[in-house]
Amino acid sequence: MSASEPNSSIFLSDTPNQIKNKINKYAFLGEDDEKLEKIRKDYTSGELLTGFLKKELITILQKVVADHQQKRKEIDDTVLKQFMTPKKFNFLANKSETK
């Protein structure tokens, strides 16, 4: 999937349906090592079809993006201001700890 083509990129603002459509149209192969190894073996043997891989990816990405979108909705001006306020660092304390 290429970021130069907007319709082939997954954005954190995408709806679950947009994620599904983009993966089905643009996804090429590319979680858990044991699960991936089984998928690799099944896919290369022909037991597993590309559609299954796309479905797995759709499910994972839809959850990740939905979680992100929910957390983003919880950010208000107070949270934003707290995040953007510069913090003072005590570099001298850190310097003496490294000795």
Side-chain angles (χ1 to χ4, degrees):
M1 294 175 55
S2 167
S4 62
E5 170 58 47
N7 290 326
S8 70
S9 299
I10 304 296
F11 296 102
L12 294 174
S13 57
D14 284 348
T15 66
N17 196 47
Q18 286 172 314
I19 292 169
K20 177 183 160 202
N21 290 339
K22 288 177 180 183
I23 290 171
N24 280 330
K25 187 169 183 180
Y26 296 102
F28 303 98
L29 262 178
E31 310 165 276
D32 160 357
D33 289 342
E34 289 178 23
K35 184 176 182 179
L36 285 175
E37 180 58 21
K38 177 163 179 23
I39 288 171
R40 184 194 68 77
K41 285 180 181 176
D42 291 348
Y43 185 72
T44 55
S45 73
E47 265 184 72
L48 190 63
L49 301 177
T50 304
F52 172 81
L53 296 177
K54 288 182 178 184
K55 184 179 175 195
E56 284 286 303
L57 182 57
I58 289 165
T59 301
I60 292 166
L61 280 179
Q62 285 175 337
K63 182 183 180 332
V64 168
V65 172
D67 289 348
H68 170 79
Q69 290 170 344
Q70 180 58 42
K71 289 178 182 175
R72 188 172 181 189
K73 285 179 187 177
E74 296 169 7
I75 296 175
D76 59 13
D77 288 340
T78 304
V79 172
L80 186 61
K81 183 176 180 182
Q82 182 181 15
F83 179 77
M84 297 301 290
T85 300
K87 311 288 188 278
K88 290 188 177 188
F89 291 101
N90 186 347
F91 291 106
L92 295 177
N94 291 338
K95 190 175 184 179
S96 65
E97 291 175 7
T98 61
K99 289 183 179 181

